[in-house]
Amino acid sequence: MLLTISTTHRPATDLGFLLHKHPDRVQVFDQSFGTATVFYPEAGEERCTAALLLEVDPVRLARRAGQGGKGGKGAKGSPDFSLAQYVNDRSYAASSLFGVALADVFSTARGGRCAARPELAETAIPLELVIPALPCRGGVPIARRLFEPLGWTVGAEPVPLDPDFPEWGDSRYLRLTLTGTVRLADALSQLHVLLPVLDESKHYWQGPDEVDKLLRSGAGWLAEHPDRELVVRRYLGRRGHLTRAALARLAELDDVVEDAVAEAVEPDAAEETRVPLNLRRHEAVLAALAEVRPRSVIDLGCGPGQLLARLLATEGIARVAGCDVSVRSLQSAARRLHVDRMTERQQERLTLFQSALTYDDPRLAGYDAAVLMEVVEHVDPPRLEALERVVLGSARPGTVVVTTPNREHNVRYEGLTGMRHPDHRFEWDRAEFRAWAERVAAAYGYTVELRGVGDDDPEVGPPTQMAILTRADTTTTEEAGR
Ligand code: SAH
């Protein structure tokens, strides 16, 4: 199986830096199931193409299946032999193995790391990816459905069984061409996930961390993919419990997953518990805010802006602001809120800006209330003190609503081995969150009230915990006579 990656970014040979593979060399990488070779058919200033060729060794593949953790057929010690293990199309079109080799050979590039060209690694560049023979269940329409929402122009032509005998019809392979302006790391992660999805055959054992791996590879694109349910289901090989766990966790990242998750929770669950957790979090935060009736609210670490949309729709809130350290998040917030189509008056109500909450920024001040929803756990512990100082010491809003996961609840997520999100730096249990909230409240002159969000499990507590910090010198709006 062959993949070529071309760019016309200038100088095009920068592709070598991004992929960490020198354009002048042919490099061979041994895989447990065969050999991966990287070479550059062209490497000019204007256009550069890298090729990844995977040659699967059916003997090694069969042996590997016989050895490794797979259980069942061909398990250790079994004399089981089937010709199909040796004679099959895996050598030519092994999508899932190709996905594995791609992730291994280009692991640094897929992680978006590039010491030589750090900015380029973060930038969307013109790319053309070609896979001359890709097994694709569902054919051209499925290839389009999966890649087009990610910003690719999709060229997909069925490969005839034999060009000399057109009457034999088409094979189940496509020649796939993807053209677009995409960050290389995203392109590689998308292929890593979607090639096995198109083939619908994942050939290696799926461990409990398979969901974590999928969410890591899907970071930044899977949660908002209109066909994420199909992707998750096929990627996890239709293992229902893993699929449900993955969809529930994707819902934590984006609220458009509502319908998929409603199905994912137990079918007989009470109506109330069918509401995805992130929506319940929005409700809980809005309810806490409604109690203090702020005229202005800033969402600190607003992400792609789901809560901002709700705040803008809340009567009585005249000014709304969202800030985030991530420009990409702010761009998706602007898209979600249709900032470009807002009237001048609507635009005046909303401010979006980039800010790192660990550095003083006067733009953070001047709001009645601030929200820190699922943000603190993304901050490195040694930097958390800076965030506390900036928000509670400098910006000093009358009310600060903080939410964060309750680590104790993680045992209730099937298939979750680490933290809930790959970017979390820590997750607190209830005692740790209480201790933190009480300490910062005392340090900066706030009072604190703790609440749970989501169903309160008798043993491990609710999935999300919330603290409402009130500046001790704040008069309530009633007292102020508003
Ligand atoms: N509040 C949103 C997003 C939570 S994800 C929601 O609940 O849906 C965490 C967000 O915090 C991300 O968008 C991330 O970019 C942002 N973030 C992390 N560290 C930050 C920092 N130091 N300053 C500002 N934003 C930060």
Side-chain angles (χ1 to χ4, degrees), residues 186-267:
D186 290 339
L188 294 172
S189 290
Q190 291 163 7
L191 286 182
H192 172 65
V193 173
L194 295 181
L195 294 187
V197 163
L198 287 169
D199 191 15
E200 206 178 2
S201 52
K202 207 151 175 277
H203 299 283
Y204 46 94
W205 187 73
Q206 297 178 332
D209 60 344
E210 221 38 63
V211 173
D212 287 335
K213 284 193 199 152
L214 172 61
L215 295 187
R216 259 200 303 276
S217 301
W221 60 273
L222 185 54
E224 300 204 26
H225 196 297
D227 265 316
R228 74 208 137 254
E229 204 190 335
L230 175 78
V231 172
V232 169
R233 200 159 20 88
R234 280 194 178 189
Y235 184 91
L236 294 171
R238 299 183 182 280
R239 280 162 182 76
H241 63 289
L242 291 183
T243 303
R244 281 192 293 278
L247 287 171
R249 286 171 59 196
L250 278 175
E252 293 247 310
L253 305 175
D254 197 291
D255 63 357
V256 289
V257 207
E258 283 166 61
D259 296 343
V261 171
E263 282 171 35
V265 290
E266 310 91 84

Side-chain angles (χ1 to χ4, degrees), residues 100-432:
V100 173
L102 179 96
D104 176 52
V105 171
F106 297 132
S107 64
T108 315
R110 200 162 72 88
R113 293 183 299 278
C114 180
R117 298 285 184 278
E119 276 162 28
L120 194 58
E122 277 306 308
T123 309
I125 57 171
L127 289 174
E128 184 185 83
L129 313 181
V130 181
I131 301 175
L134 174 75
C136 182
R137 278 206 57 218
V140 176
I142 277 283
R144 283 195 198 289
R145 256 173 68 179
L146 292 185
F147 285 105
E148 278 176 353
L150 299 170
W152 295 104
T153 301
V154 177
E157 296 152 33
V159 176
L161 264 178
D162 187 325
D164 293 333
F165 297 92
E167 65 276 16
W168 289 5
D170 292 328
S171 67
R172 67 182 189 97
Y173 301 100
L174 294 181
R175 178 190 165 83
L176 181 75
T177 308
L178 303 175
T179 322
T181 302
V182 176
R183 205 169 70 106
L184 182 65
D186 290 339
L188 294 172
S189 290
Q190 291 163 7
L191 286 182
H192 172 65
V193 173
L194 295 181
L195 294 187
V197 163
L198 287 169
D199 191 15
E200 206 178 2
S201 52
K202 207 151 175 277
H203 299 283
Y204 46 94
W205 187 73
Q206 297 178 332
D209 60 344
E210 221 38 63
V211 173
D212 287 335
K213 284 193 199 152
L214 172 61
L215 295 187
R216 259 200 303 276
S217 301
W221 60 273
L222 185 54
E224 300 204 26
H225 196 297
D227 265 316
R228 74 208 137 254
E229 204 190 335
L230 175 78
V231 172
V232 169
R233 200 159 20 88
R234 280 194 178 189
Y235 184 91
L236 294 171
R238 299 183 182 280
R239 280 162 182 76
H241 63 289
L242 291 183
T243 303
R244 281 192 293 278
L247 287 171
R249 286 171 59 196
L250 278 175
E252 293 247 310
L253 305 175
D254 197 291
D255 63 357
V256 289
V257 207
E258 283 166 61
D259 296 343
V261 171
E263 282 171 35
V265 290
E266 310 91 84
D268 58 350
E271 196 53 38
E272 184 192 63
T273 62
R274 295 173 74 96
V275 179
L277 182 57
N278 66 331
L279 295 189
R280 300 182 77 171
R281 209 153 40 217
H282 297 166
E283 295 297 337
V285 168
L286 292 169
L289 290 174
E291 291 165 25
V292 292
R293 292 205 262 144
R295 300 279 301 151
S296 55
V297 179
I298 181 164
D299 189 7
L300 305 168
C302 62
Q306 292 110 322
L307 185 72
L308 292 175
R310 303 285 305 266
L311 291 170
L312 284 169
T314 303
E315 221 176 302
I317 302 182
R319 271 190 315 128
V320 173
C323 76
D324 203 286
V325 74
S326 151
V327 175
R328 281 173 110 198
S329 289
L330 291 167
Q331 284 167 344
S332 21
R335 268 200 307 275
R336 177 188 301 271
L337 303 172
H338 302 295
V339 170
D340 52 341
R341 282 187 253 147
M342 278 182 175
T343 64
E344 217 168 288
R345 262 195 78 204
Q346 287 171 320
Q347 278 185 10
E348 274 168 18
R349 268 185 83 206
L350 174 71
T351 314
L352 286 176
F353 61 96
Q354 190 191 17
S355 189
L357 296 168
T358 45
Y359 294 92
D360 252 332
D361 186 338
R363 293 173 298 176
L364 301 173
Y367 295 90
D368 294 343
V371 176
L372 270 170
M373 185 169 71
E374 308 298 287
V375 172
V376 290
E377 66 275 11
H378 290 265
V379 177
D380 277 328
R383 302 293 297 143
L384 197 54
E385 240 175 86
L387 178 141
E388 296 157 14
R389 184 164 31 76
V390 167
V391 175
L392 300 169
S394 299
R396 288 193 73 68
T399 303
V400 183
V401 181
V402 185
T403 77
T404 194
N406 165 22
R407 187 183 69 217
E408 294 166 79
H409 199 92
N410 287 3
V411 294
R412 297 288 183 256
Y413 289 97
E414 206 169 348
L416 174 62
T417 50
M419 289 190 241
R420 289 188 203 175
H421 188 277
D423 190 50
H424 284 178
R425 309 305 155 94
F426 59 85
E427 285 172 353
W428 281 323
D429 63 23
R430 284 170 289 179
E432 286 165 332

Side-chain angles (χ1 to χ4, degrees), residues 37-59:
T37 307
V38 178
F39 59 98
Y40 287 73
E42 59 178 337
E45 286 284 295
E46 285 169 24
R47 188 180 163 93
C48 181
T49 298
L52 172 66
L53 175 69
L54 178 67
E55 288 160 293
V56 173
D57 176 348
V59 178

